[in-house]
Amino acid sequence: MRFRLMLVLLLVVGAACGNNGASEDTSGASIAPTTGPTDAVATTTVDEGDGWAPWGLEAVVMPDSAAAVEAVFARLPSELAGLTRKDVQGRVEGALGVEYGDGSRAIRGTPLAAIPTQGDDELTPLAWLETMAGAMEGEVEGSLLEPNAPLVWIASAEQADDETAYIAVWCVPSGSWYFDAVAESAVARLELIEAFIAAVKSA
């Protein structure tokens, strides 16, 4: 499970880098109907057009410097749902990551300045999430990609063989970092995000 779920997220990011802005129009808030277990819809309860992120992320101020992000990740719990924490390297220089258990649950913070881009155009947080949204091939549970929103975000269920990786990506449109969580279920994804919120509040 660990390597397949991580591969899903890496493939999404790799595809996004290759498309560099060639995404479909995914602006605006939307919640797509979800089929399957009820816990798959329990974490995306935002009313369409309300301008807020799900999961309670709008209730905290996102960390936006290396020191602030490090402080938040240092405060993530050593154990989550009975699974032991493991600190891991991020995908690019300066990125941070924490995995739980076999690695099927992970949360990461990535500085946008470290992401390679094509050409000389500066990569903005909103443009990055728009590109990622266009690269996702699974079921998009919801998204809000508006420049005047307090937080932009995507929630998606990506298929890998017979498994599903539940992904959430979020950032402040004017910020310098983006964050992502991936888990084997929507409930586990919510637990990761709630742990992140608690760490932000205590940092």
Side-chain angles (χ1 to χ4, degrees):
M1 172 77 78
R2 170 188 177 183
F3 295 109
R4 285 184 226 165
L5 287 180
M6 291 302 102
L7 180 60
V8 168
L9 190 54
L10 290 172
L11 287 175
V12 167
V13 173
C17 287
N19 290 337
N20 193 31
S23 65
E24 297 176 3
D25 182 11
T26 55
S27 61
S30 62
I31 297 295
T34 306
T35 57
T38 55
D39 71 344
V41 298
T43 60
T44 46
T45 56
V46 173
D47 293 329
E48 185 170 340
D50 71 356
W52 292 106
W55 314 299
L57 283 167
E58 77 282 355
V60 296
V61 177
M62 288 298 126
D64 198 45
S65 68
V69 174
E70 287 172 7
V72 168
F73 274 70
R75 285 170 171 77
L76 288 170
S78 58
E79 185 178 281
L80 190 63
L83 302 175
T84 304
R85 167 184 174 147
K86 177 184 177 184
D87 293 278
V88 296
Q89 291 184 338
R91 293 179 292 271
V92 297
E93 184 178 353
L96 301 173
V98 170
E99 294 180 354
Y100 289 94
D102 62 358
S104 61
R105 301 182 187 190
I107 188 162
R108 300 176 189 271
T110 304
L112 284 155
I115 297 172
T117 59
Q118 297 176 356
D120 298 326
D121 294 338
E122 182 179 349
L123 182 64
T124 67
L126 179 58
W128 176 241
L129 258 68
E130 287 175 337
T131 302
M132 290 188 76
M136 287 181 173
E137 297 180 353
E139 177 184 359
V140 177
E141 300 168 279
S143 66
L144 178 63
L145 300 173
E146 291 285 350
N148 59 348
L151 205 70
V152 291
W153 57 273
I154 310 165
S156 178
E158 299 289 312
Q159 293 295 127
D161 297 329
D162 294 328
E163 299 168 345
T164 303
Y166 289 84
I167 300 170
V169 188
W170 67 93
C171 66
V172 175
S174 60
S176 304
W177 289 70
Y178 83 89
F179 304 91
D180 62 76
V182 60
E184 76 282 7
S185 71
V187 170
R189 177 181 61 188
L190 178 59
E191 290 174 344
L192 283 170
I193 294 171
E194 287 178 338
F196 175 85
I197 292 171
V200 172
K201 288 181 176 179
S202 64

